[in-house]
Amino acid sequence: MITVLKLILKGIYDLRLNKWEHLLTLCAIILVSFLGLLFLLFLHNIQNQIVENNNQVKFTVYWEKGVNKDLIEKQWEELRKKPGTISVETYTSNQAATILAESLGKDVDFEIETSKNKLPPTAVLTYEFSPDNLKKRANQEHQILRDLKYVEEVNYDEKAINKSSAWLNDLKKIIWPLITLLILLIGIIVGNTFKISQISKKEEIEVLKLIGAGNWYIRLPLFAGAAMQSIVGGTIALGFLKTTQAILNNILNTPPLWLKLEFLNQTEIISVLACLIGISLISSWVAIRY
């Protein structure tokens, strides 16, 4: 274990040799990674915007008239605590009658006191579901709400759900091929950069082979150096991306646009760094195999 650690540290320490060569390699990694990440940032925000506008479902629930107010309010409180609940807007019979009278205006003859006994307690529930099973979860929730005690009727816009579900399915067909193509292009460019950088070390490898050095004794330091360059280059590229996001938000998040770009989430950042490390290791192995 100590030997492995020493070899890894040796690979990182050897980056001080041929400084200009390693610096140019690092610059290429930063530039390509930044451009790829910038495109990924736009895809990420387009996806979030479409998902945000299409994965929420509103249910209008009507309770039976004349049910005890305390029982209904207890159900409303339970609905507020359900996972995935965005908002719960509730209206008693009195509130519903008052709102209806205000919406009709003063010119319409409307008896509020009479309507208080006719209008049912109502709640407008907004839920957020996963885009993968939006239609299925909406139907399940509709049935759950209908089965609640004292509930008389539940309405929701099924056509809008079908449209949103189609939108989200089309999004997958467009976004994921673009992300795959992007990763492929970054892999080819960064991998080729690493390969050219490592080819220059073939003479050193031949010398080490002549004095009896084992495969891992030769390869592990080179892999460690390549992985370190990937981590440093990817981290700097992410820093540039964060700065660019802040600049763009200062420009776009103003009237009349009011557009705000969200940064990549933690999973995406880790995935980017992992991809860069994987590319560096594969390209280094291809360059120095013997």
Side-chain angles (χ1 to χ4, degrees):
M1 185 65 186
I2 295 175
T3 304
V4 172
L5 183 59
K6 285 182 177 179
L7 290 173
I8 292 173
L9 292 175
K10 179 182 181 298
I12 298 172
Y13 181 81
D14 286 346
L15 291 175
R16 299 195 311 168
L17 306 174
N18 301 322
K19 293 180 181 178
W20 286 109
E21 181 181 319
H22 291 306
L23 180 61
L24 290 173
T25 302
L26 183 63
C27 289
I29 295 168
I30 294 170
L31 179 60
V32 174
S33 300
F34 170 71
L35 293 175
L37 286 169
L38 187 61
F39 186 55
L40 182 62
L41 181 72
F42 286 120
L43 289 179
H44 171 81
N45 280 274
I46 291 170
Q47 179 176 334
N48 284 351
Q49 190 65 34
I50 294 176
V51 169
E52 183 179 341
N53 292 335
N54 290 277
N55 72 336
Q56 294 184 2
V57 183
K58 281 191 176 183
F59 296 92
T60 305
V61 186
Y62 301 97
W63 274 262
E64 296 172 0
K65 294 185 284 290
V67 178
N68 186 283
K69 182 181 176 182
D70 293 336
L71 294 175
I72 295 177
E73 287 183 346
K74 184 179 179 181
Q75 285 187 330
W76 287 348
E77 190 60 33
E78 290 174 354
L79 290 171
R80 286 188 179 94
K81 296 177 182 178
K82 284 187 66 174
T85 304
I86 301 298
S87 66
V88 177
E89 300 173 12
T90 58
Y91 307 93
T92 62
S93 297
N94 292 352
Q95 291 172 329
T98 302
I99 292 171
L100 181 59
E102 290 175 354
S103 65
L104 292 175
K106 297 179 180 179
D107 297 333
V108 179
D109 186 16
F110 184 79
E111 293 292 337
I112 295 180
E113 294 300 325
T114 305
S115 300
K116 284 180 180 179
N117 299 322
K118 294 182 178 180
L119 294 177
T122 307
V124 179
L125 313 174
T126 305
Y127 291 104
E128 185 176 74
F129 298 127
S130 169
D132 297 328
N133 54 0
L134 176 66
K135 188 176 179 180
K136 180 180 177 182
R137 286 290 291 114
N139 291 333
Q140 289 175 346
E141 193 61 40
H142 179 249
Q143 188 60 47
I144 291 171
L145 293 172
R146 285 185 62 186
D147 292 340
L148 286 177
K149 196 173 183 181
Y150 311 120
V151 169
E152 185 175 11
E153 187 179 354
V154 181
N155 294 328
Y156 76 109
D157 194 343
E158 193 170 356
K159 289 183 179 179
I161 300 301
N162 293 334
K163 185 178 178 181
S164 296
S165 183
W167 257 104
L168 295 171
N169 287 332
D170 291 339
L171 177 66
K172 288 181 183 178
K173 295 176 183 178
I174 297 171
I175 294 291
W176 284 109
L178 286 175
I179 291 175
T180 303
L181 178 62
L182 178 63
I183 293 172
L184 181 62
L185 290 174
I186 293 175
I188 291 172
I189 297 171
V190 174
N192 190 59
T193 303
F194 271 113
K195 184 176 178 181
I196 293 171
S197 175
Q198 299 287 26
I199 284 174
S200 62
K201 298 181 180 179
K202 278 196 171 183
E203 291 183 5
E204 179 185 343
I205 294 170
E206 291 296 331
V207 172
L208 290 172
K209 284 176 61 181
L210 289 174
I211 63 175
N215 286 343
W216 280 108
Y217 186 86
I218 298 171
R219 290 174 174 172
L220 190 56
L222 298 176
F223 290 163
M228 179 55 65
Q229 282 184 297
S230 293
I231 294 171
V232 173
T235 303
I236 294 173
L238 286 166
F240 285 160
L241 184 69
K242 184 65 178 177
T243 304
T244 304
Q245 179 221 6
I247 294 170
L248 288 175
N249 277 339
N250 287 335
I251 298 171
L252 298 177
N253 196 22
T254 55
L257 296 176
W258 293 116
L259 296 176
K260 186 175 181 181
L261 296 177
E262 294 182 5
F263 197 65
L264 304 178
N265 58 44
Q266 187 177 1
T267 302
E268 290 169 332
I269 291 172
I270 294 172
S271 299
V272 167
L273 293 176
C275 285
L276 286 174
I277 293 170
I279 290 166
S280 68
L281 295 179
I282 293 170
S283 56
S284 296
W285 179 81
V286 171
I288 63 175
R289 59 182 177 170
Y290 48 85

